[in-house]
Amino acid sequence: MLTSCRRVNRRFRRASLVGMEEGSSRRASAAAVLPDELIIEILARLPAKSLCRFSCVSRAWRALISDPANRRRFAQTLSGIFFSRPGSKPPWFFVGLSASPPPGVDTALSFLPPTCGKMELVNSCNGLLLVRCTGARESRSPPFYVVCNPATGEWITLPQPTHAPGLMSNLDTCSAALGFDPAASSNFYVFQLVQEYGRDIVQAVEIYSSETDRWVLRESGWSEDKLIHFTRQMTYFKGFLHLCDMSSAVASVDTEGQTWRFSRVLSDTISGNCISVGSSQRRLLCVYDDAWQNDAMLIYVLEDHDSEERVWTFKHSISKPGLTLRGGWDYYIAAFHPDSDLIFFFDLSQKRLMSYDMKHSDVHVICTLGKVPNIVDGMVFNVRRPFLPYVPLYSGALASPGVN
């Protein structure tokens, strides 16, 4: 009886394999007879992660997906990272994640007019860049913002906010972020933080909307017992700007300055711990680093962004063996990959930009960078270098009344 059952099982498995092969053959034949135009229409409706997987279906599909004439219609993923490079022209550099640069992208921003003067990359979001410009020397005008698209050469000069950008007196307006989600709307937003200089306490947020082409000044809506000590790290996700607070918490404000949220990643943490916040695979991630006590970075995810409870769930830990502490942190988070389990971090001791694969725990060195010195009272400090992830945006114009 047992022998008969084994024979039946073997025959069933052989029949199943034959059926699978025939089914695969029929699907391959069906795909082969589809016209390229129809395949492109199908691929254009896929997210970036799925598009990468389907490029392995066949050589023909790979050729369609990689063709520059078609790529403008497809969802894009992270192609590289901008970072500051003082003393050079332009004062930033773009490092690509693949051998070939993204087609048609002007990473030098040479399409911006000379009237922009000295430029500084401030932030990036889903294909758009936020640039702070000082203007021509003879104009003596205050600094201003420009939002641009390096893939299309479009750009727009924003009107002046109430507080001029880049102030460093009794107020600090050096921190600003860009908010843009092409899947939700063609409009973009700019958030300028108004901070108490020297204490990094957020007093207000000025918000620009491309739909109205004007700024709105909102005083901090976080309660008085929750003064936000900004750690210079923030991200835009699902209609909110999310800031990192020194108390290992995440503070959030919406695009109208009407909804203010505050959530602690861990309830038993103390002030001074380091956290970073970013988005990946349509979820908000937070990396917690108690560098003085633990040998691991802890990664938490906010599964339900719209919930009022704001519960952070543990996702992963990154081991830091051999980390040498010299009065500060040797590593800090540089960026998050939007479509995969990659996190990019900067090694301060070796000046290296590196990637970490959470799924396989692999570390890869992308490039080695130089120092970014900052001289204060005759002393040289190595400041945090901003890293701006870049996803090409080939479709759609900048939605604003003043677009160039």
Side-chain angles (χ1 to χ4, degrees):
M1 182 69 179
L2 181 60
T3 303
S4 299
C5 291
R6 288 175 176 171
R7 288 173 182 169
V8 172
N9 287 334
R10 283 198 295 269
R11 290 173 184 171
F12 179 77
R13 285 196 297 269
R14 283 198 296 268
S16 299
L17 290 173
V18 171
M20 291 173 61
E21 292 175 357
E22 291 178 351
S24 298
S25 178
R26 284 195 297 267
R27 286 193 296 270
S29 299
V33 298
L34 289 176
D36 288 351
E37 292 78 9
L38 182 55
I39 295 177
I40 292 173
E41 286 293 333
I42 295 172
L43 296 177
R45 289 164 169 77
L46 296 177
K49 188 174 183 179
S50 299
L51 197 67
C52 292
R53 294 211 318 264
F54 286 132
S55 65
C56 302
V57 168
S58 67
R59 293 181 178 177
W61 281 33
R62 186 183 302 113
L64 286 175
I65 293 173
S66 60
D67 188 343
N70 300 328
R71 290 187 63 175
R72 294 177 179 272
R73 300 189 56 190
F74 298 153
Q76 302 295 320
T77 189
L78 188 69
S79 65
I81 298 176
F82 286 94
F83 59 87
S84 61
R85 190 173 63 172
S88 63
K89 289 187 177 182
W92 60 79
F93 189 76
F94 178 81
V95 56
L97 301 184
S98 60
S100 58
V105 176
D106 183 358
T107 58
L109 309 186
S110 59
F111 55 86
L112 292 180
T115 52
C116 288
K118 184 179 178 181
M119 296 182 291
E120 177 188 3
L121 290 187
V122 178
N123 198 241
S124 65
C125 189
N126 291 321
L128 301 183
L129 296 180
L130 177 62
V131 184
R132 184 162 51 225
C133 307
T134 59
R137 292 182 178 179
E138 58 272 12
S139 66
R140 295 184 179 180
S141 59
F144 57 91
Y145 290 118
V146 166
V147 173
C148 66
N149 184 344
T152 63
E154 296 172 298
W155 57 276
I156 175 176
T157 300
L158 304 190
Q160 280 290 352
T162 304
H163 300 282
L167 288 177
M168 290 282 289
S169 55
N170 59 324
L171 294 177
D172 182 348
T173 59
C174 291
S175 298
L178 186 61
F180 176 60
D181 185 357
S185 171
S186 58
N187 297 312
F188 67 86
Y189 305 89
V190 175
F191 301 80
Q192 177 177 265
L193 303 188
V194 181
Q195 301 171 249
E196 182 179 342
Y197 180 69
R199 296 184 63 192
D200 294 330
I201 297 177
V202 179
Q203 295 183 343
V205 180
E206 287 199 72
I207 305 172
Y208 170 85
S209 169
S210 64
E211 184 176 13
T212 61
D213 193 33
R214 66 187 184 92
W215 293 85
V216 175
L217 178 63
R218 302 293 190 192
E219 293 187 3
S220 174
W222 296 295
S223 59
E224 294 183 1
D225 61 333
K226 295 175 181 176
L227 296 176
I228 303 304
H229 293 261
F230 180 49
T231 63
R232 306 283 172 177
Q233 207 281 329
M234 53 187 166
T235 192
Y236 178 81
F237 180 68
K238 285 193 174 182
F240 280 80
L241 178 68
H242 303 275
L243 318 174
C244 286
D245 177 61
M246 288 184 63
S247 63
S248 300
V250 176
S252 309
V253 58
D254 72 339
T255 56
E256 296 180 356
Q258 299 293 337
T259 304
W260 304 75
R261 297 174 176 174
F262 185 88
S263 62
R264 295 192 183 278
V265 181
L266 293 174
S267 59
D268 57 348
T269 57
I270 60 175
S271 178
N273 294 311
C274 178
I275 65 172
S276 299
V277 65
S279 62
S280 177
Q281 303 174 80
R282 304 304 294 177
R283 296 183 301 177
L284 194 65
L285 298 181
C286 187
V287 181
Y288 168 78
D289 182 10
D290 187 357
W292 302 107
Q293 299 181 17
N294 300 328
D295 60 353
M297 295 182 184
L298 307 179
I299 302 176
Y300 293 83
V301 59
L302 189 64
E303 296 285 0
D304 189 357
H305 179 270
D306 298 323
S307 172
E308 293 294 334
E309 296 182 2
R310 313 280 289 174
V311 178
W312 294 87
T313 305
F314 175 75
K315 174 181 174 63
H316 187 78
S317 64
I318 302 176
S319 178
K320 303 181 295 184
L323 185 65
T324 304
L325 297 177
R326 296 185 301 275
W329 295 279
D330 283 306
Y331 301 87
Y332 65 82
I333 301 297
F336 297 80
H337 197 292
D339 302 306
S340 69
D341 288 322
L342 283 181
I343 293 182
F344 302 91
F345 59 94
F346 186 57
D347 178 1
L348 279 166
S349 59
Q350 301 296 322
K351 311 300 179 218
R352 299 179 299 184
L353 179 62
M354 313 177 76
S355 66
Y356 175 82
D357 188 334
M358 287 187 284
K359 185 174 293 184
H360 304 97
S361 299
D362 292 335
V363 178
H364 175 70
V365 177
I366 298 175
C367 63
T368 301
L369 314 176
K371 294 182 178 180
V372 183
N374 183 32
I375 302 178
V376 179
D377 296 332
M379 300 180 66
V380 178
F381 298 91
N382 190 31
V383 300
R384 275 202 171 198
R385 182 198 300 263
F387 292 90
L388 308 180
Y390 176 70
V391 178
L393 177 68
Y394 295 105
S395 60
L398 282 174
S400 177
V403 68
N404 293 274

